Amino acid sequence: MMFIIGLDLGQAQDYTAIVVVEKKEYMYEPKPAEYHVRHIERPPLGTPYPDIVERVKTIFTSPQLKGKTTLVVDKTGVGSPVVDMLKRAGLNPLVAITITGGNTVNKDDDGYHVPKRDLVTNLQVLFQEGRIKVAKELKLSSILVEELLNFKVKIDIKTAHDSYEAWREGVHDDLVLATALACWYAEFRHPIPRIRRL
């Protein structure tokens, strides 16, 4: 049994999202792993980062998760100092992910650099294959499903670059990204070549 906490850190106008996913593997059956969303939380807008760290610590050290959980954090933007706070709080193992607009996944001393395309596409595939299960009794389950359905790919015809965003303004993507972080790490945590810094 393996649990992953996906943490998407919000800023002034964005929610922070905390999602706990359980990876269920079938050792004696030729079935791919399933991902069961066990907890979804969206602290109120403007919640200070020290309070977010304390809340994540409470979840991480709960009897159900203690010793069998990895914390996967979006380090993009404001994430770097908060990642440091989470490390100082003793939340290990901790995996930091910087979301990029690139095409390849890289790993360095600061964690993984993952294209948003990889995060979102992996989650959409899991959803379409029925490999991600979201319990309806979870308070925010319908919002998570709505966020996933609202995501769209936007292609710039001039540059051929793609971007992923909610299809209408005012729709948040924090729950999708927190879930995507957890599922991407659980699905692809095989060794990735490290890149050297110059």
Side-chain angles (χ1 to χ4, degrees), residues 1-42:
M1 190 184 318
M2 171 186 185
F3 292 94
I4 308 98
I5 298 175
L7 175 60
D8 178 50
L9 295 164
Q11 297 183 38
Q13 300 301 315
D14 299 317
Y15 287 102
T16 289
I18 306 165
V19 175
V20 178
V21 174
E22 179 184 2
K23 182 176 183 178
K24 290 200 160 256
E25 297 184 272
Y26 299 91
M27 297 181 73
Y28 303 107
E29 297 179 47
K31 286 175 66 174
E34 288 184 354
Y35 300 93
H36 295 230
V37 177
R38 298 295 187 195
H39 179 80
I40 306 170
E41 188 170 330
R42 181 189 262 170

Side-chain angles (χ1 to χ4, degrees), residues 39-40 42 100 117 144 161 172 178 183:
H39 179 80
I40 306 170
R42 181 189 262 170
T100 70
R117 165 196 311 172
L144 170 58
H161 287 123
H172 297 282
C183 290

Side-chain angles (χ1 to χ4, degrees), residues 43-60:
L45 279 175
T47 300
Y49 293 128
D51 293 353
I52 299 290
V53 171
E54 281 305 310
R55 180 61 188 140
V56 173
K57 184 175 182 178
T58 299
I59 296 168
F60 192 88

Side-chain angles (χ1 to χ4, degrees), residues 44-163:
L45 279 175
T47 300
Y49 293 128
D51 293 353
I52 299 290
V53 171
E54 281 305 310
R55 180 61 188 140
V56 173
K57 184 175 182 178
T58 299
I59 296 168
F60 192 88
T61 58
S62 66
Q64 302 91 334
L65 303 185
K66 191 172 183 176
K68 48 193 168 194
T69 302
T70 299
L71 174 60
V72 182
V73 185
D74 174 12
K75 190 180 172 186
T76 316
V78 299
S80 192
V82 182
V83 167
D84 291 341
M85 291 169 65
L86 292 161
K87 286 178 181 175
R88 282 196 299 275
L91 302 181
N92 287 303
L94 183 149
V95 176
I97 292 182
T98 301
I99 301 172
T100 70
N103 295 315
T104 58
V105 175
N106 294 302
K107 186 175 190 304
D108 62 18
D109 294 338
D110 293 329
Y112 293 91
H113 299 259
V114 182
K116 193 170 188 180
R117 165 196 311 172
D118 289 31
L119 293 171
V120 174
T121 307
N122 176 62
L123 190 62
Q124 288 176 327
V125 168
L126 293 174
F127 191 71
Q128 289 168 3
E129 291 179 347
R131 292 175 55 207
I132 185 161
K133 312 287 186 187
V134 183
K136 288 181 181 172
E137 62 268 17
L138 292 176
K139 187 177 175 186
L140 298 173
S141 63
S142 61
I143 296 173
L144 170 58
V145 172
E146 181 182 342
E147 281 186 13
L148 187 57
L149 294 173
N150 282 333
F151 244 67
K152 70 170 186 173
V153 183
K154 190 173 171 182
I155 310 267
D156 185 318
I157 297 171
K158 293 178 185 173
T159 64
H161 287 123
D162 55 347
S163 63

